[in-house]
Amino acid sequence: MPGVMPTPHSGEPTTGPLTAEELQLAARNHSMPLEALLHDITPPGLHYLLTHFDIPHVDADTWVLKIGGAVQRPLELGGMALRTRPRISVPVTMECAGNGRSLLLPRPLSQPWTLEAVGTAEWSGVPLAYLLTEAGVDPAALEVVFTGIDEGIQSGVRQRYARSLPLAEAMRPDVVLAYRMNGNPLPPQHGYPLRLVVPGWYGMASVKWLQSIEVVTRPFDGFQQSSGYRYQKDADDAGTPVTRIRVRSLMVPPGIPDFFTRRRILPPGPVMLRGRAWSGEGGVEQVEVGIDGEWVAAHLDQPAGAHTWRAWTLPWVADPGEHELACRATDSTGAVQPLEQNWNYQGMGNNAVQRVRVSVE
Ligand SMILES: Nc1nc2c(c(=O)[nH]1)N[C@H]1C(S)=C(S)[C@@H](COP(=O)(O)O)O[C@H]1N2
Ligand SMILES: [Mo]
């Protein structure tokens, strides 16, 4: 249980420069360039990626998914058998719970995301609830545990990547066991041959490279559940579990960048500011754009689905000089993005407003 489990990171948060280990993780796990916010569905290769261990090489001819535990009829299904079951397609905005981590001070040592560990894809496959119903869930069932093929060691604990969902979440009709992404076979890095996609939850719930699904009657206490992915004050705090995506918006930085600093330069005159906003707690209801500290409501487009981002636009007339642009969203629960960073020990759920400095010249 939390407290006696090892902490998920290697060392205490730091104010020092980026470490070689963080650079190594950053080079493996890429984010979505902000200009890709212009697409409803993130084009192939631009969706963010987060893989704790190695991308497994899976032979689809021999691979089977096992569904067992507290069920009446355990199942073993290969790729062909899965394709004889009903198929749904769900557009989903997915975000890593660690997004924004490297902007925290002090900085938790892990994948050093800046702002853009997000992407939207259309995931197609079998509704999880359909297969759980086929297997026949026992009345005593509490959670469903999803285990990946990928194996590694985190904080000294050898493990396969595994996470659980409360039964009620697992039985939602939009939770999908996906074998296609954006109309194509699932790419290796996104979980081939089969992954879970849990709309509205931070990405850690959407287990890739599925090997087994086990219905359990006690809370799952695997590393990524009871030690990783918790909002903790410090190493000794058991914390609370990370679940749904907090409300957030991002802007496509206007103008053109300086290569090295990525500072923005644009000419004076009218410019359309554009971005996206999303929340896993409820729909986005408002986006405001901050121009030198003055907040103005943006125009919002309709989202493509219940768990996809909404496009927003705001025309701005840029005066010569230095400016600071920002954006903040509000969702249907009334939650608003904070102006200041939301610090916690693992660097989870940082949904503070993005600020973009622009030079108009
Ligand atoms: N098997 C497995 N599933 C996994 C992970 C992993 O390392 N192994 N990473 C999780 C995390 S933390 C995130 S944010 C999402 C990222 O999904 P993506 O790489 O397809 O964007 O996958 C989740 N599923
Ligand atoms: Mo993540």
Side-chain angles (χ1 to χ4, degrees), residues 46 70 92 185 196 246 287 289 302 325 353:
L46 294 182
V92 177
L196 178 66
R246 289 176 169 171
V287 171
V289 176
Q302 285 309 312
L325 307 177
V353 300

Side-chain angles (χ1 to χ4, degrees), residues 205-221:
S206 295
V207 178
K208 303 193 275 188
W209 310 294
L210 275 177
Q211 181 177 55
S212 66
I213 298 177
E214 201 197 348
V215 178
V216 295
T217 55
R218 282 159 204 267
F220 175 61
D221 67 352

Side-chain angles (χ1 to χ4, degrees), residues 30-34 36-37 42 46-49 93-96 99 113 115-120 245 248 250 276 278 309:
H30 67 74
S31 62
M32 185 196 73
L34 289 174
L37 286 168
T42 309
L46 294 182
H47 193 284
Y48 86 97
L49 271 183
T93 296
M94 194 184 290
E95 181 180 7
C96 182
N99 197 14
W113 294 124
L115 290 167
E116 54 283 79
V118 65
T120 297
I245 300 175
R248 188 183 208 140
L250 287 174
R276 301 267 172 180
W278 63 93
W309 53 23

